[in-house]
Amino acid sequence: MTHTDIQSLLQSEFGASCVPETIENATPKGLVISAEKLQDVCLFLRDNEQTYFDSLSCVTAIDNGMEASTIEVNYNLYSIPYNFQLLLRAIVARNEDGAELPMIPTVSDVWKTAEWHEREAFDLVGIKFDGHPDLRRILLPTDWQGHPLRKDYSTQEYYHGMKVDY
Amino acid sequence: MSTVQYTYDPRHLEASEPTKYKPEDLTEEQMLINIGPQHPSTHGVLRFEVITDGEVVVDVVPHLGYLHRCFEKHAESMPFNQVIPYVDRLDYVGAMNNEHAYVMGVERMLGIENDIPKRTEYIRVLMAELNRLASHFVAIGTYGLDIGAVTPFLWMMRDREHILRMLEWVSGARMLYNYIWVGGLFYDLPVGFEERCKEFVTYLKPKLVETRDLLLNNKIYVERTANVGVLSRDLAINYGVTGPMLRASGLRFDLRRIDGYSVYPQLDFEIPVGEGTVGTVGDCWDRTWVRYRECEESVKIIEQCLEMLTKEHKRTRDYDPRAMVPKKIRPQAQDFYVRAENPKGELGFYFRADGRSDVPVRCKARSCCFSNLSVVPEISRGVLIADFIAIVGSVDFVLGEVDR
């Protein structure tokens, strides 16, 4: 199966608007998924016997900066029996400074490994995962301000009375 | 510059790392115990918030981030090839393997991976396997220490020291090598290295048998680890567990074979899996057993590499390990995910290049220990506290890679 086969499979299952385009300049090649359908698509890809993506290798959240004003989450799926890799990408609008964080449905009930990866994405890039069982910061202290992998991130001046930026 | 002023305030800890369970969440019999931060097997810093009922573990909440050194943030600020010394710091007991994975990723992204001279590739694999041995020695040795056996630890550290000496001879550094470069190597092998390495292999083989007889077949050790912390295969895949831990659960899955990167397809080695020899498939004993068997396979690979390096791809006057090293790295605009088999599991790198500069827009490290650690709460509910220590040790994580 190629990624375009999977695209047509998903389009026939969930409608054409759910999988709008393929990603060609990526290795492994991938698909853009509309964020609302993410959970259903992942569950379908995991359980369908033609795809059987039983493991989630990597979750990467990327802040595209102020100009593009989007944030995307990349899911690297891997099917052990078929030895096939696929990239799924969900793109959401970026929030203004101080506004509510962007929201993406969680896939942690499809692959448990996503639970920690999503906590990390929340911690470092600032994305909320809808339905996540335990969304806390994982690497940084709970009272840290901001999300360091945002492009417009600037460190807070003091943390517990210590100067942060020297 | 003023000095750092910090006045201790007990509220700071509560605000920065609050426990997930509050006293009012616990029943009268339950107790919250913090295990860590410096447990001998964590080789670093980690705190487990353990809820116990008598001697039984009810729930475990790992608290990470004490060693956080911002690999990803740092990588966004410098060119691809300058990140290599920093990649060493991920899994600092298997630094060569990290470099190999990272360099392979960048080379594939640039499309030059097939132009690398064969001698370079064999030296890389030789280094990676030597370091895999050293990493497994730490794993097995400190695991023995967790269970209460000191002698295997001393023996393994002694043998690891020989490896570190050789790697130091090659690269000039003891643990953080910066030896494998994008497109080549820092330097050719020093003269006489192959011969010394052969002597070492001859020395090592009986020592491995000794360790097996002393530790893995030891009655006390078997009693402490067999049937403890059983991880089923489905659960392991679902949690993204990779490496020896996944193979111990009974899946013959090794990226060196599956992806066939570098010169691994030309080498002859087996992939050991856990078979439940003394207990259940996927228990703590199996995990260490798989690591031990992998040591033997690594020795096999090292022998073959040495054979190739002394016969077919000999040191010649016109061999220049830096011939392919690009002056400036200019990747096209693309996303790239590449993975490699590290001593502890699958190490993946997700790069995004914008096509204009040689600085990555995003460089995410998917570390094996991070996923392997996430399964610990799942397999340690309902065990005794002593078994919990055994489970934590058998995962063999390095905190440098968990926190990145």
Side-chain angles (χ1 to χ4, degrees):
Chain A
M1 268 200 141
T2 63
H3 65 295
T4 42
D5 292 342
I6 293 172
Q7 186 190 23
S8 45
L9 184 74
L10 286 176
Q11 278 176 344
S12 62
E13 182 75 24
F14 294 99
S17 63
C18 169
V19 197
E21 53 186 311
T22 58
I23 309 161
E24 294 292 341
N25 66 340
T27 312
K29 293 192 169 53
L31 305 169
V32 178
I33 299 288
S34 74
E36 304 89 58
K37 284 278 174 68
L38 183 71
Q39 225 171 1
D40 298 337
V41 167
C42 287
L43 203 60
F44 176 76
L45 285 176
R46 188 193 70 177
D47 293 338
N48 190 320
E49 56 186 24
Q50 281 175 285
T51 50
Y52 205 69
F53 284 105
D54 50 357
S55 96
L56 176 69
S57 300
C58 181
V59 178
T60 315
I62 302 177
D63 176 19
N64 286 329
M66 285 75 79
E67 273 174 42
S69 195
T70 52
I71 285 187
E72 59 188 56
V73 185
N74 296 294
Y75 299 87
N76 280 92
L77 274 51
Y78 180 59
S79 159
I80 293 175
Y82 291 113
N83 188 19
F84 184 67
Q85 294 190 63
L86 181 75
L87 172 70
L88 287 188
R89 180 176 293 169
I91 306 176
V92 285
R94 193 174 186 279
N95 63 316
E96 291 295 312
D97 208 23
E100 189 88 343
L101 293 176
M103 198 84 125
I104 274 187
T106 179
V107 293
S108 63
D109 35 12
V110 185
W111 300 285
K112 285 294 251 179
T113 178
E115 203 175 305
W116 276 30
H117 277 106
E118 284 174 351
R119 275 176 72 184
E120 195 192 319
F122 163 70
D123 188 354
L124 300 178
V125 186
I127 303 165
K128 278 214 165 135
F129 289 90
D130 197 12
H132 191 284
D134 183 25
L135 198 63
R136 296 175 291 136
R137 279 181 182 268
I138 190 165
L139 296 178
L140 295 174
T142 307
D143 54 355
W144 192 261
Q145 288 163 18
H147 304 283
L149 288 180
R150 286 285 180 103
K151 294 292 178 210
D152 58 350
Y153 170 76
S154 55
T155 45
Q156 62 200 69
E157 201 177 347
Y158 286 98
Y159 177 71
H160 290 176
M162 293 176 282
K163 208 163 180 340
V164 175
D165 236 352
Y166 50 87
Chain B
M1 225 175 107
S2 63
T3 52
V4 174
Q5 297 287 321
Y6 179 73
T7 43
Y8 173 72
D9 186 338
R11 283 167 305 175
H12 284 168
L13 182 65
E14 188 46 42
S16 61
E17 283 290 325
T19 51
K20 191 181 164 195
Y21 286 88
K22 300 276 166 288
E24 55 269 21
D25 299 337
L26 306 178
T27 62
E28 205 171 323
E29 295 81 26
Q30 287 178 344
M31 196 155 71
L32 191 155
I33 300 174
N34 283 304
I35 294 183
Q38 274 149 327
H39 181 258
S41 84
T42 56
H43 328 300
V45 277
L46 171 73
R47 175 164 69 103
F48 286 104
E49 173 193 336
V50 182
I51 309 296
T52 57
D53 185 347
E55 240 188 295
V56 179
V57 174
V58 176
D59 199 8
V60 178
V61 184
H63 288 264
L64 324 173
Y66 293 85
L67 207 64
H68 188 52
R69 57 299 222 358
C70 344
F71 169 77
E72 290 166 20
K73 184 82 182 162
H74 194 75
E76 282 176 17
S77 65
M78 52 177 55
F80 277 105
N81 50 358
Q82 289 181 20
V83 185
I84 295 171
Y86 221 63
V87 171
D88 289 338
R89 271 93 177 154
L90 289 178
D91 173 1
Y92 39 79
V93 270
M96 282 288 187
N97 295 78
N98 298 343
E99 284 174 16
H100 194 195
Y102 179 84
V103 163
M104 190 180 70
V106 177
E107 280 169 2
R108 268 200 210 167
M109 194 169 69
L110 296 173
I112 58 169
E113 61 157 356
N114 293 328
D115 309 337
I116 309 295
K118 274 282 167 284
R119 184 173 165 86
T120 308
E121 290 282 11
Y122 275 107
I123 295 176
R124 281 181 185 178
V125 170
L126 173 68
M127 291 302 142
E129 293 305 323
L130 278 173
N131 214 324
R132 189 185 306 274
L133 274 178
S135 170
H136 282 340
F137 284 177
V138 175
I140 299 170
T142 53
Y143 191 49
L145 206 61
D146 282 350
I147 302 299
V150 181
T151 313
F153 170 74
L154 298 174
W155 287 6
M156 302 252 86
M157 284 294 156
R158 174 198 61 195
D159 294 342
R160 174 172 176 264
E161 195 58 36
H162 293 298
I163 298 177
L164 293 192
R165 289 270 166 81
M166 284 197 292
L167 294 179
E168 183 180 356
W169 190 21
V170 166
S171 67
R174 224 179 92 87
M175 281 180 81
L176 307 162
Y177 309 107
N178 188 16
Y179 178 65
I180 301 176
W181 283 6
V182 176
L185 300 167
F186 160 64
Y187 211 75
D188 199 359
L189 289 179
V191 177
F193 184 86
E194 293 93 329
E195 288 74 18
R196 181 79 72 85
C197 202
K198 254 181 200 154
E199 280 170 29
F200 170 70
V201 168
T202 330
Y203 157 85
L204 188 67
K205 276 180 180 169
K207 301 286 177 202
L208 280 176
V209 179
E210 258 177 20
T211 308
R212 186 188 65 196
D213 291 345
L214 181 73
L215 185 69
L216 289 158
N217 294 344
N218 186 305
K219 189 161 189 313
I220 303 170
Y221 177 83
V222 170
E223 297 271 311
R224 280 293 309 273
T225 56
N227 295 320
V228 171
V230 178
L231 176 64
S232 72
R233 193 170 65 182
D234 292 349
L235 195 67
I237 294 171
N238 203 249
Y239 265 93
V241 170
T242 45
M245 230 180 137
L246 176 62
R247 287 193 282 279
S249 297
L251 187 69
R252 205 174 290 274
F253 183 82
D254 191 315
L255 290 172
R256 287 176 290 178
R257 275 280 178 261
I258 303 269
D259 282 5
Y261 59 91
S262 201
V263 287
Y264 282 112
Q266 276 105 57
L267 298 168
D268 168 43
F269 62 98
E270 287 165 35
I271 302 163
V273 289
E275 283 151 358
T277 318
V278 296
T280 324
V281 175
D283 59 5
C284 290
W285 192 86
D286 262 356
R287 290 200 265 280
T288 316
W289 171 248
V290 166
R291 288 197 186 100
Y292 167 75
R293 285 279 293 112
E294 271 191 47
C295 288
E296 294 182 339
E297 297 303 322
S298 283
V299 168
K300 252 161 80 178
I301 297 178
I302 288 169
E303 278 181 323
Q304 291 169 55
C305 283
L306 289 172
E307 186 78 13
M308 294 303 269
L309 285 172
T310 45
K311 301 254 165 64
E312 217 164 300
H313 302 288
K314 255 197 275 196
R315 170 197 318 274
T316 49
R317 213 167 263 282
D318 57 338
Y319 168 70
D320 179 7
R322 296 193 209 176
M324 284 295 298
V325 175
K327 289 265 177 334
K328 197 158 168 63
I329 289 177
R330 271 291 164 82
Q332 292 172 329
Q334 60 180 318
D335 285 28
F336 208 95
Y337 180 72
V338 72
R339 52 196 193 152
E341 185 72 31
N342 258 35
K344 292 168 185 69
E346 169 186 335
L347 176 68
F349 285 103
Y350 190 98
F351 301 121
R352 167 169 291 181
D354 60 359
R356 294 191 298 273
S357 70
D358 56 349
V359 179
V361 177
R362 183 83 161 87
C363 174
K364 153 106 186 172
R366 180 262 189 231
S367 60
C368 22
C369 302
F370 186 74
S371 298
N372 289 0
L373 178 59
S374 72
V375 83
V376 166
E378 192 69 32
I379 55 175
S380 40
R381 290 196 186 104
V383 302
L384 299 179
I385 294 177
D387 289 345
F388 172 66
I389 304 297
I391 291 171
V392 170
S394 75
V395 176
D396 178 37
F397 40 79
V398 164
L399 266 292
E401 202 177 46
V402 174
D403 295 0
R404 279 157 294 139

